[in-house]
Every structure is written in structure tokens, then in C-alpha cells.
Amino acid sequence: MLKFLLICTLAVASRAEVGEEEDVLVLKKSNIEEALKAHPDILVEFYAPWCGHCKALGPEFAKAAGMLKAEGSAVRLGKVDATEETELAQEYGVRGYPTIKFFKGGEKESPKEYSAGRQADDIVAWLKKRTGPAVANLVGVTEAESLIADSEVAVIGFFKDADSDGAMAYEKAAETTDDIPFAFTSDDAVFAKFEVTKDSVVLFKKFDEGRNTFDGELTKENLLAFVKTNQLPLVIEFTEQTAPKIFGGEIKSHILMFLPKTASDFQDKMDQFKKAAEGFKGQILFIFIDSDVDDNQRILEFFGLKKEECPAIRLITLEDEMTKYKPENDAITAEAIIGFCKLFIDGKLKAHLMSQDIPEDWDKTPVKILVGKNFEEIAFHPSKNVFIEFYAPWCGHCKQLTPIWETLGEKYKDSDDIIVAKMDSTANEIDSVKVHSFPTLKFFPAGDERKVIDYNGERTLEGFTKFLESGGKEGGAPAGDDDDDLDAEDGDDVDEGQDTDSDGEDDGHDEL
């Protein structure tokens, strides 16, 4: 009997306990299976204690966990310290922080990537769409009012016949939208309460005009376009929480207003910016960036701006290549901004390429200093072989490379046909060369063909020397062939709001 009791005691003790912090399950390799047995649906954040993006997400993640718990939902939120649980992080391919994955139905294999925003409402809405029906059925005014009150954005389909073509198209649109709750009603009282007299779709929101009514042919495509056009505020502030919505949305043309919130005329300029935004819904996303916030300084630097130069307006396209535009008129008025946007839409704007002034001593040191204004003349000189490091002042890998690059410059300072150079790509831009990560090393061989060869070899004096002596063959690849190098694993991913390099590996690049 004693032996039996001992075995039972050990069996109970061997069950890994699942602790909680602020309604969030604390998960480890030793207890994740136990957690999934008790809670089949868990949204899990893999984080690092030092990660700024994780710290910003933490309160919203805990708030979402509390909201679900208060509702009596079976869905739970969990977190894994990936710096401690390295095996678990590796098992699920965690390569940056935070990484958020959804485990559904108790299945430990192949969890789904979380794809919505990082505010509590976004998290809750996404989970409800993943675990419940795509369209909730509303019975009575109270249910409709509760949905609207509890959601930053909610969509309600008003249809007398749930089997009508319009209602079916509405359901299909709902099935492909993760981050917004969709509901359906045929209740006459709900129709009357919201003054809807015929089959219609209404988007309710807690900002701007408060509601938008769909007007057009009820098709899945038209409804999705309607929702995407109206689900964001006319002007959205850039923060850690809104970054996924901004960069993950369908609108890839963004106009940015850099302005300190402490400015005496802040509200006036915001009103002008918002007024201009009204005519470009669905075409251009209007974004406000507080230029006094420390976390936003890298963005200012990316646009060649300093805090003292704000307020300022810039426009950027986030297509295959990011292209920036600068207005000729610095005035922040609705009229000036509207005119600038119309020129952009009509294709009448030229890209704005940043350049520093040419330093007086640019060619006095072994490593020549290039800027936008002298790049073409030097890099594409027909009788020179030019090896250039494109760097960022803040890049750790660039700093590590500096002594080697300076030694290389010293080695070839008296060469008749080889030039070793460098260019600060945070302050200078070249139309013919796109730099996505730092340091980027490119070779411009002599001749009239304007060839560009990417350097993919070892970052050693020996490797660089072999490359130059071989005419760019030893360790080189034609420009555009090294796309894998652009997936930097240890820099900051500005677009996604993620700190990278979860596993200690290092590809030697810092992202732009």
C-alpha cells in the first residue's frame, strides 16, 4: 500500500504545473502538453524579457486574456520566455520577438501564425473569429448594442433573408477577415434602432464619423474593399500597437506627418491633416508620428529628418522598392497636402533622394567618402574598380567591419584603378542602388556597362583582397542574387515591430 501511494504521489508531482501571470498562462517545454490538454485553444506569445516590442505588447496581451476570462471563454493566452525555453522556441521556428502562434484543438503541431493587430480588442476579435462562427447571429437590440460597445470596429449585416445572395456574399467576406467581428441580424427591432430600412451592411467604429453604410453591389470583393477602406481612422498614429495594421494593410502608399504632440499648434495641424485625408480613403494611408518620441527617431533618420526640422510631411510607397517623396511646399494645410497627394496619384512626382553635401576632404583618406551628390561620378567611373561599403552609423556589424575596411583602403590607397569607399545610406540614397540591410558591400567594375556585383564572401582582409584581385569573381555574385541575405536576423525590423535573432545565430546584417 505504501509503495502504491508513493507511486501515485510521484505521478501527481510529475505533472508539470501551469502557472499564471495576469491571466496569462506561463508555458514551458515541460508543461505545454499539459496546458493544451486543459485548454485546447491557446494563443502563445514567444518573447524575450529585453525586447522592447514585447514590453509594449505585454499589457495589451494581459488585457485580452482578462477580457476572454471575464466572458467565460475557453480560449486562453499563454507566454513563453524564448530566451529560457530555447528548445521550445526552436521547435516552433521562432526567429524574432515577439512571435505569436495559435494552438487550436489541443494540437501541438503546426500552430497558426497570429496575423492581426497588437491591441487587446484586435487580439480578442481575431481569436473569436478563429474559434467561433464567422458571423454571429444577433437577436435583439441589446446584443447589437453590446457588440458595438465592446468593439473598436464591428460590422453588422442587416438582411431579412439569411439565404439571399447578398447575405451569402457577406458571409464569404466575413470568413476572410480575421481582425474585425462580423454579425448578422434580421430582427425588425434592430433594423429600426439603427434606422436601416433595407438589406444593408453597416460598419460601426469608435472614431471619425462613427459609422459607414455600404453602398453598392453586394459582392465579397466589394464588401472587403468597403471594410478595408473604413476600418482605420482617417489619421492613424504610429505606435508599437498600430504598426502591424499600418504595414500589414492593403494600402501601400503612406503619407506621414512628423509633428511633436507638445507643439502649440498641434491640434490645428492635425485638423488640417485629417481634412486632407477625407478625399483619399482607400488610396493613401495618413499617418501621424510624434517626432519627440525616442522610439521614433530611427524613422525620422530613415527620412533624413531631425527633430528640429519637424513638423514635416513625407510620402512613401511600400511596394517592391520603397520610394520617398517630399513636398515642395512645407506648409501643413489641407490645401497643400491635397495638392501634393493629387500630384502623387497622377504620377507627377519625382522621388526624393537624400544626399549630404560633398565633404571637402572626401578623397583625402584611404577610404573615400561618398554621398549622393558624388556617387555616380565615382562609382561608375569607366576606368576605376570601386568597392563600396553602404553602412549605417548605428549598425553594430558596420562598426565591427570598420578596422578591416580601413586596412583594405590603406592597402589600395596608391592603386591606379582600385578605389575603396563607403557611404552612409541613412543620409544618402541612390536611384540605381537599393540598400536593404547593413552593411551592404557592392563592387562597381571599370567599364561603360554600369555593372554592379554584390560581395558575398568572408568579411576579412584576405577575402576582400581575393575578391578585388579576381575582378569581383572570388566571393561575388551579380546584384540581386543574394536575396537571402536580406532576411536580417539580428537587427530591428522597423516594419513589423519585431526584435530579431531568437536563436543566437548571426547573418552579419542589420536591417534598414
Side-chain angles (χ1 to χ4, degrees):
M1 176 65 73
L2 286 173
K3 186 175 181 180
F4 174 75
L5 288 172
L6 180 61
I7 291 171
C8 289
T9 302
L10 290 171
V12 171
S14 68
R15 271 189 208 159
E17 292 187 4
V18 182
E20 285 189 30
E21 292 179 1
E22 296 182 292
D23 298 322
V24 178
L25 303 175
V26 180
L27 303 177
K28 304 177 180 180
K29 184 175 177 62
S30 60
N31 69 11
I32 191 168
E33 290 188 10
E34 195 74 26
L36 287 169
K37 286 178 184 177
H39 312 287
D41 297 333
I42 308 179
L43 183 70
V44 179
E45 175 203 4
F46 293 84
Y47 73 97
W50 46 259
C51 164
H53 302 300
C54 303
K55 291 176 183 177
L57 173 63
E60 293 296 319
F61 206 69
K63 182 180 176 182
M67 289 167 64
L68 290 167
K69 202 170 184 181
E71 292 177 5
S73 172
V75 181
R76 298 300 304 273
L77 271 63
K79 61 182 179 180
V80 174
D81 182 344
T83 65
E84 292 288 338
E85 300 295 322
T86 53
E87 285 186 40
L88 198 58
Q90 188 171 5
E91 180 180 348
Y92 291 106
V94 176
R95 305 192 70 79
Y97 306 123
T99 290
I100 308 172
K101 294 178 180 281
F102 182 48
F103 295 78
K104 187 175 182 181
E107 290 292 329
K108 191 168 175 252
E109 306 296 327
S110 304
K112 182 174 181 62
E113 293 285 341
Y114 175 75
S115 58
R118 292 185 184 171
Q119 292 176 303
D121 287 341
D122 301 321
I123 295 168
V124 171
W126 189 89
L127 286 169
K128 286 182 176 179
K129 291 295 290 287
R130 289 288 165 187
T131 55
V135 180
N137 186 31
L138 300 177
V139 180
V141 172
T142 301
E143 287 190 9
E145 289 179 330
S146 295
L147 174 68
I148 295 168
D150 294 342
S151 307
E152 185 75 7
V153 179
V155 183
I156 299 179
F158 294 81
F159 295 99
K160 293 297 185 182
D161 181 3
D163 296 322
S164 66
D165 290 343
M168 299 302 288
Y170 176 72
E171 185 170 357
K172 288 179 180 177
E175 289 170 352
T176 61
T177 306
D178 288 332
D179 54 345
I180 296 175
F182 277 63
F184 161 87
T185 187
S186 57
D187 191 316
D188 289 340
V190 182
F191 270 69
K193 172 65 180 178
F194 295 101
E195 300 179 342
V196 177
T197 57
K198 61 180 181 179
D199 284 4
S200 187
V201 174
V202 181
L203 183 145
F204 296 89
K205 55 192 181 184
K206 293 180 178 177
F207 48 84
D208 297 340
E209 61 269 55
R211 64 184 276 178
N212 303 102
T213 302
F214 176 79
D215 182 18
E217 183 183 358
L218 284 165
T219 67
K220 173 186 170 182
E221 293 72 24
N222 289 344
L223 287 168
L224 287 174
F226 163 74
V227 171
K228 287 172 182 175
T229 297
N230 294 290
Q231 72 178 99
L232 293 176
L234 281 171
V235 175
I236 183 168
E237 181 177 359
F238 179 86
T239 65
E240 295 279 7
Q241 287 72 36
T242 61
K245 288 183 179 180
I246 290 171
F247 294 112
E250 297 292 317
I251 303 172
K252 299 302 181 184
S253 298
H254 299 172
I255 186 168
L256 304 98
M257 178 173 67
F258 296 89
L259 175 68
K261 279 187 176 179
T262 56
S264 59
D265 59 348
F266 172 80
Q267 194 55 54
D268 177 61
K269 283 185 167 53
M270 183 62 75
D271 291 343
Q272 293 293 314
F273 196 56
K274 193 171 184 178
K275 183 178 179 182
E278 294 172 358
F280 299 96
K281 287 174 67 173
Q283 294 178 293
I284 301 175
L285 198 59
F286 279 61
I287 301 166
F288 156 67
I289 297 176
D290 187 344
S291 55
D292 274 348
V293 173
D294 289 341
D295 287 347
N296 292 337
Q297 298 313 301
R298 279 273 291 275
I299 305 173
L300 267 74
E301 184 180 275
F302 179 67
F303 284 90
L305 286 169
K306 297 177 182 177
K307 283 202 291 188
E308 53 269 25
E309 295 177 296
C310 297
I313 297 288
R314 294 292 186 272
L315 195 151
I316 186 169
T317 57
L318 303 179
E319 302 297 344
D320 292 337
E321 295 292 350
M322 290 186 286
T323 306
K324 305 170 192 173
Y325 302 90
K326 175 184 176 181
E328 291 184 6
N329 185 349
D330 292 333
I332 298 182
T333 64
E335 184 181 7
I337 296 167
I338 290 169
F340 179 52
C341 291
K342 283 183 176 178
L343 288 173
F344 167 73
I345 289 174
D346 293 340
K348 295 180 179 179
L349 288 180
K350 288 186 178 180
H352 171 61
L353 300 174
M354 297 185 297
S355 177
Q356 295 172 306
D357 291 330
I358 302 173
E360 291 183 8
D361 59 347
W362 73 271
D363 62 345
K364 298 297 188 293
T365 55
V367 176
K368 311 308 176 189
I369 301 171
L370 302 187
V371 296
K373 294 177 180 178
N374 68 351
F375 180 86
E376 287 279 325
E377 177 187 354
I378 306 303
F380 293 108
H381 194 291
S383 64
K384 304 293 184 182
N385 296 291
V386 187
F387 198 13
I388 303 174
E389 175 203 4
F390 298 87
Y391 73 97
W394 45 260
C395 165
H397 296 294
C398 302
K399 293 174 183 176
Q400 291 173 10
L401 179 61
T402 296
I404 302 172
W405 201 250
E406 288 179 348
T407 302
L408 183 70
E410 187 71 32
K411 183 180 179 72
Y412 289 100
K413 68 177 182 179
D414 296 323
S415 172
D416 291 331
D417 62 349
I418 292 177
I419 293 176
V420 178
K422 64 179 182 179
M423 189 177 85
D424 179 354
S425 286
T426 67
N428 300 278
E429 295 172 316
I430 307 300
D431 192 40
S432 56
V433 177
K434 301 301 179 184
V435 177
H436 300 275
S437 59
F438 303 120
T440 290
L441 306 177
K442 292 181 182 287
F443 180 59
F444 300 77
D448 297 320
E449 296 89 353
R450 295 176 65 87
K451 281 186 179 179
V452 183
I453 297 173
D454 288 333
Y455 179 77
N456 293 327
E458 295 181 357
R459 291 183 194 162
T460 62
L461 181 63
E462 183 182 9
F464 293 146
T465 301
K466 284 182 179 179
F467 176 71
L468 288 173
E469 298 297 337
S470 68
K473 295 178 182 178
E474 186 82 25
D481 285 2
D482 65 335
D483 288 343
D484 289 344
D485 282 343
L486 304 186
D487 297 328
E489 293 170 10
D490 70 336
D492 279 333
D493 187 332
V494 176
D495 291 353
E496 300 295 339
Q498 188 178 74
D499 286 324
T500 49
D501 197 5
S502 59
D503 54 9
E505 293 181 5
D506 190 342
D507 72 349
H509 285 82
D510 280 319
E511 275 204 21
L512 182 58

